[in-house]
Amino acid sequence: VLQEGSDSDDEEFNEEYAAALDTELAGTAVPSSTREGDQGGGEDPLPEVDVDLAVVKNILESVASQEGLPGPASNLLGLLGVHLPASDAGKVEPQ
């Protein structure tokens, strides 16, 4: 049976959960690519992320890593009607 909690309980849970996620992700590359803006009001604001650019970059890196073979990224792009030309330029270098 689900009990309805107060808004303050929900807000407290969300803050604790976000803090736990931040702690867990602190030692990975994820914070630099997915966090948006200053969420905690801390002294070190995080830069805003252009999510569209990050998605396109990751899809292109995935297509490049497929080396011309079928895979999730090229299949997804194909379903969207996007057909990339074959490239002999090699892998996309991450910045």
Side-chain angles (χ1 to χ4, degrees):
V1 175
L2 293 176
Q3 296 180 353
E4 290 189 36
S6 69
D7 288 338
S8 63
D9 288 343
D10 290 342
E11 187 175 317
E12 182 179 335
F13 171 79
N14 288 338
E15 289 174 6
E16 289 176 9
Y17 189 76
L21 285 175
D22 287 343
T23 301
E24 187 172 333
L25 296 174
T28 69
V30 173
S32 65
S33 65
T34 59
R35 288 188 192 170
E36 294 186 44
D38 183 14
Q39 299 291 324
E43 297 173 11
D44 186 24
L46 299 170
E48 289 191 27
V49 176
D50 185 351
V51 176
D52 293 335
L53 178 62
V55 169
V56 170
K57 178 183 171 191
N58 289 334
I59 288 175
L60 291 176
E61 287 176 0
S62 181
V63 169
S65 71
Q66 292 171 199
E67 299 178 348
L69 298 172
S74 61
N75 290 343
L76 178 63
L77 290 174
L79 291 171
L80 295 172
V82 177
H83 301 284
L84 298 175
S87 174
D88 293 331
K91 282 183 77 171
V92 173
E93 294 295 324
Q95 295 179 350

